Each structure stands twice: as structure tokens, then as C-alpha cells.
Amino acid sequence: MPGYGWISLTTDYGLSDGFVAACHGVVARLAPAVRVLDVTHLVPPGDIGRGAAVLAQTVVDLPPAVHVAVVDPGVGTARRGVALQTPGGLLVGPDNGLLCWAATALGGTERAVELTNPAWLATTVSHTFHGRDVFAPVAARLALGEEFADAGPAVDPASLVRLPDPVVGSGPGWLAAEVLSVDHFGNVQLAAPASALDGLGAALLVEGVPARRAATFGDVPSGALVVLGDSAGRVALAVNGGRADAVLSLVTGQVLRIADAS
């Protein structure tokens, strides 16, 4: 099996502890020539949906790689550790839905294995740190080109855990969609594709708050709410010079309604 020159890391580990460095260290010891890209380590703790969204929207911009993702509130339980093979790269992490959207973005899961080969794992596997002891060493071996099937027994891709499809609905003059994520700037991304805005006018109400449909933040006055298509091709809400999440008091997973103001 051909190897990969890159490993990406997406976690909820934060930056105030040594967890991320430990994962880097495992890769550096096993595969020193492989480069590591840090996608983010600031996924809200335990927020699998947010991690899945960030991962899926980022992997398409990265070089072919082994993508490690760890947002794993069930670490140490019966949940499986898995590796997925797709046309666009490999994914390694817990079987809790975190990898499913990224696998789709990379062309779909062709093969999957459960990570049970002890020769591929740390000598002692902690019950609470599978990022270091399971996922990082497996990713390093896969990046070096070791055989995918040697990581463990085959898993039926249909048995992999999937997150529920986000809520999206529309009708004449309105759109309802689930909040998929809120970024560092307070911009609110919805599950609906940007094309869902095509049937709406320029003057809008977002849960009763006046907004304008536009192409970018600066197309509306300072402090105004704007509805636009974001860089990932989804409907997004932003405030020019402010935070849309604060203006709308929104949280991830909430469903909101956008409607024509007239």
C-alpha cells in the first residue's frame, strides 16, 4: 500500500495541556519523515457534530493524508476505534459519527477496519488517551505505507456510526435549517446549501431579526446582520463588526427560520 506524506490532526484536546504534543511525539518517533498538519484542537469538548463539520469542510483542502480525528467522549468504552479508506485519503478515529461526513467528502468509505492489532498500538493502551496510544500509532504506520488490512479485522461500512442528517426545510419565501457550527468570529453556519437562498429576497428576517442578503460582510452597515453563502458553500449568518451568535443567541443544533421581510 502506498504511503502518505501527511497526517492531519483534529481534536478537542485544547492547547493548555500536553495532549497534542504527545500525539505529535508518537508520529515523530514512528514516522519522522511524515509531516503533521494541525486542523484544530479547539473543538468544543465532546462536541462530535462540530468536530465532524470542521473535519469534513477541511479535508477537501488538504493534500492526500491520513486524517486523525479525536472527539471521543466514549473513550475506553465499547465504542470501536476504526480506520476508513476513501478515494481521497484515510481517516482514523473513534466510531462515533465523527468521521462520517469527512468520509463522504473524500468520496465515500471503500473499506473499514477495527483497530485491534496490538502490534500497531502502544505497548500499554490507556483507557482515557486513545489519541496517543491507538490513533496516532496507527496513523503513523498507515502513513508509512503499511497494509491497511493489518490494522485489524474488516468492518462493514454500513455498520459505522453516522450522525443524524441535519434539519433543512424550505418553502415559498422561507428557509429553516439547523445550526451546524459557530466559528471563532461568531459567524453562524447553517446546514442548508448556499443555493437555498436563491428563492429569497434581499430583505430578510432571521427569527424576527432584520437582516440583508448579501455577498460579504462589508456589503451591510456596521452592526447589521447579513445572510450569505460562506466559503464552504453553506448558508451563513454574520454581523459586520460583531458576532451573529450573540445577536441571535444561537447554539449549535438549534433550528432557525429565515424568511422574506415583505
Side-chain angles (χ1 to χ4, degrees), residues 8 13 20 23 28 33 37 79 86 98 115 141 154 161-162 173 199 215 221 261:
S8 80
Y13 287 161
V20 174
C23 294
L37 283 166
R79 73 96 185 93
T86 77
L98 179 63
L115 308 179
R141 289 179 178 274
V161 174
R162 291 195 61 86

Side-chain angles (χ1 to χ4, degrees), residues 178-195:
E178 185 174 334
V179 176
L180 197 59
S181 67
V182 178
D183 70 16
H184 171 73
F185 300 100
N187 302 323
V188 178
Q189 183 186 67
L190 304 185
S195 59

Side-chain angles (χ1 to χ4, degrees), residues 40-51:
T40 182
H41 300 292
L42 298 177
V43 174
D47 191 339
I48 297 170
R50 171 64 172 155

Side-chain angles (χ1 to χ4, degrees), residues 25-109:
V26 170
V27 173
R29 285 189 289 105
L30 294 175
V34 173
R35 292 172 287 182
V36 179
L37 283 166
D38 292 291
V39 175
T40 182
H41 300 292
L42 298 177
V43 174
D47 191 339
I48 297 170
R50 171 64 172 155
V54 170
L55 183 66
Q57 291 173 28
T58 305
V59 291
V60 294
D61 293 321
L62 302 183
V66 181
H67 303 288
V68 178
V70 192
V71 180
D72 194 14
V75 62
T77 68
R79 73 96 185 93
R80 299 179 292 193
V82 293
L84 315 183
Q85 184 178 47
T86 77
L90 305 180
L91 294 157
V92 175
D95 181 23
N96 61 6
L98 179 63
L99 308 179
C100 61
W101 294 342
T104 299
L106 291 172
T109 301

Side-chain angles (χ1 to χ4, degrees), residues 83-225:
L84 315 183
Q85 184 178 47
T86 77
L90 305 180
L91 294 157
V92 175
D95 181 23
N96 61 6
L98 179 63
L99 308 179
C100 61
W101 294 342
T104 299
L106 291 172
T109 301
E110 298 173 324
R111 291 195 294 167
V113 292
E114 185 174 2
L115 308 179
T116 59
N117 182 352
W120 280 45
L121 312 180
T123 303
T124 301
V125 176
S126 164
H127 292 296
T128 59
F129 198 1
H130 285 188
R132 177 194 65 192
D133 298 338
V134 177
F135 305 133
V138 166
R141 289 179 178 274
L142 292 173
L144 290 172
E146 296 195 31
E147 179 55 47
F148 183 80
D150 289 345
V155 169
D156 181 357
S159 74
L160 296 167
V161 174
R162 291 195 61 86
L163 299 177
D165 290 333
V167 174
V168 177
S170 63
W174 65 273
L175 164 67
E178 185 174 334
V179 176
L180 197 59
S181 67
V182 178
D183 70 16
H184 171 73
F185 300 100
N187 302 323
V188 178
Q189 183 186 67
L190 304 185
S195 59
L197 295 174
D198 291 346
L200 301 181
L204 301 171
L205 293 173
V206 180
E207 294 294 321
V209 178
R212 298 291 297 180
R213 180 181 168 192
T216 189
F217 320 111
D219 289 342
V220 298
S222 178
L225 183 65

